């Protein structure tokens, strides 16, 4: 069964550094998402992306965050200058069309030191 | 706006016992409802979903959930717990199933004991 893949599985970075989290959604999917889960807390929506543009974003998704679909397969989340509070598990998800369920990747654990 | 409340952050059951994980939602429009499971160090896996039609939905691994509009609930059940069911379970809502964001509950950690 096709799946969403995320790399790396674990990323450690120093505060103030830029990080790029990578995702390869399921190939025929059209809607793409990033969620995050701070340790011990609930999964929170960050941003949705459709037709090569952001369709919705949460208040967490400030100017430090950006998303890109640089080619036909990858979907990336960039954090320009990481903060300690950015430490979390980041999940990529994709969906084929508006009424289908989200398929999640296994996540990238980001640790900011 | 929509929200999800999961009662009980931790639930412990004996192997073979009934599993009941509670979820209540609020939504200004008819919702689509989902249960996801997260095993340690893994991503979120869809257990089951309610969209329209039959209010009792069956999912993977013997789980099922019933949509009760009058109670705004979507509780997850399994008749007989197995050790492999130990995981974190998340209820989520998506208004009218449109391509908008999922709103998750805070999760319930299920422990299964011998």
């Amino acid at each position: 069964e096709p799946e969403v893949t995320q790399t790396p599985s674990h990323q450690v970075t120093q505060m103030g550094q830029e990080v790029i989290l990578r995702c390869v959604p399921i190939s025929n999917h059209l809607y793409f998402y990033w969620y995050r889960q701070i340790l011990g807390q609930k999964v929170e929506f960050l941003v949705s992306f459709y037709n090569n543009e952001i369709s919705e974003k949460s208040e967490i998704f400030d100017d430090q965050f950006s998303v890109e679909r640089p080619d036909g397969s990858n979907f990336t989340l960039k954090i320009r200058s990481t903060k300690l509070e950015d430490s979390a598990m980041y999940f990529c998800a994709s969906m084929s069309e508006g009424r289908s369920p989200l398929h999640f990747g296994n996540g990238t654990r980001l640790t900011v030191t | 706006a929509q929200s999800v409340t999961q009662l009980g952050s931790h639930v412990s059951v004996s192997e073979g016992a009934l599993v009941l994980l509670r979820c209540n939602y609020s939504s200004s429009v008819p919702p689509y409802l989902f249960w996801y499971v997260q095993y340690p160090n893994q991503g979120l896996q869809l257990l089951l979903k309610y969209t329209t039609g039959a209010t009792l939905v069956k999912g993977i691994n013997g789980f099922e959930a019933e949509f009760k509009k009058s109670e705004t609930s979507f509780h997850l059940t399994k008749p007989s717990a197995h050790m492999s069911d130990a995981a974190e379970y998340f209820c989520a809502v998506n208004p009218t199933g449109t391509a908008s964001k999922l709103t998750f509950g805070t999760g319930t950690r299920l422990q299964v004991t011998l």
Side-chain angles (χ1 to χ4, degrees):
Chain A
E1 183 179 333
E3 56 183 29
V4 176
T5 57
Q6 291 184 244
T7 55
S9 57
H10 193 186
Q11 172 98 42
V12 181
T13 189
Q14 288 189 325
M15 195 168 52
Q17 296 296 305
E18 174 185 286
V19 293
I20 297 176
L21 309 183
R22 302 181 190 279
C23 170
V24 179
I26 296 174
S27 62
N28 63 343
H29 284 190
L30 302 176
Y31 300 86
F32 311 108
Y33 301 80
W34 284 100
Y35 286 78
R36 80 171 185 190
Q37 184 182 29
I38 294 172
L39 187 63
Q41 298 185 27
K42 66 177 177 179
V43 179
E44 302 173 290
F45 168 79
L46 289 179
V47 65
S48 59
F49 192 87
Y50 171 72
N51 201 26
N52 286 319
E53 61 183 21
I54 290 173
S55 46
E56 189 172 0
K57 60 183 180 180
S58 73
E59 56 193 28
I60 301 168
F61 194 88
D62 61 23
D63 292 343
Q64 294 298 314
F65 290 88
S66 62
V67 289
E68 197 175 36
R69 188 158 164 81
D71 51 41
S73 60
N74 290 284
F75 179 53
T76 62
L77 174 69
K78 181 191 290 186
I79 309 174
R80 188 162 54 213
S81 178
T82 50
K83 304 187 285 287
L84 293 176
E85 55 264 37
D86 293 327
S87 296
M89 181 74 93
Y90 288 80
F91 291 107
C92 175
S94 68
M95 182 167 70
S96 59
E97 47 90 19
R99 297 188 174 192
S100 58
L102 286 178
H103 293 259
F104 285 84
N106 283 345
T108 293
R109 181 168 296 284
L110 176 65
T111 302
V112 182
T113 62
Chain B
Q2 61 278 353
S3 66
V4 175
T5 302
Q6 290 184 243
L7 290 175
S9 59
H10 287 83
V11 170
S12 182
V13 300
S14 300
E15 191 174 36
L18 171 71
V19 176
L20 171 60
L21 304 182
R22 299 179 186 274
C23 172
N24 288 89
Y25 70 91
S26 69
S27 178
S28 56
V29 295
Y32 282 15
L33 294 157
F34 305 83
W35 276 98
Y36 283 85
V37 60
Q38 185 182 28
Y39 297 103
N41 300 314
Q42 293 189 28
L44 296 161
Q45 181 181 4
L46 180 68
L47 266 183
L48 50 78
K49 67 182 191 295
Y50 168 77
T51 53
T52 57
T55 56
L56 181 64
V57 292
K58 296 184 185 300
I60 61 172
N61 302 338
F63 284 93
E64 60 183 37
E66 186 170 11
F67 170 61
K68 292 187 177 180
K69 185 178 178 181
S70 61
E71 298 176 9
T72 61
S73 69
F74 190 58
H75 301 331
L76 181 70
T77 60
K78 181 173 179 178
S80 176
H82 192 272
M83 296 296 288
S84 61
D85 294 326
E88 185 110 23
Y89 292 81
F90 293 93
C91 183
V93 63
N94 180 345
T96 63
T98 59
S100 59
K101 63 183 187 287
L102 278 178
T103 299
F104 283 87
T106 51
T108 297
R109 183 167 297 281
L110 176 66
Q111 181 182 20
V112 182
T113 59
L114 288 172

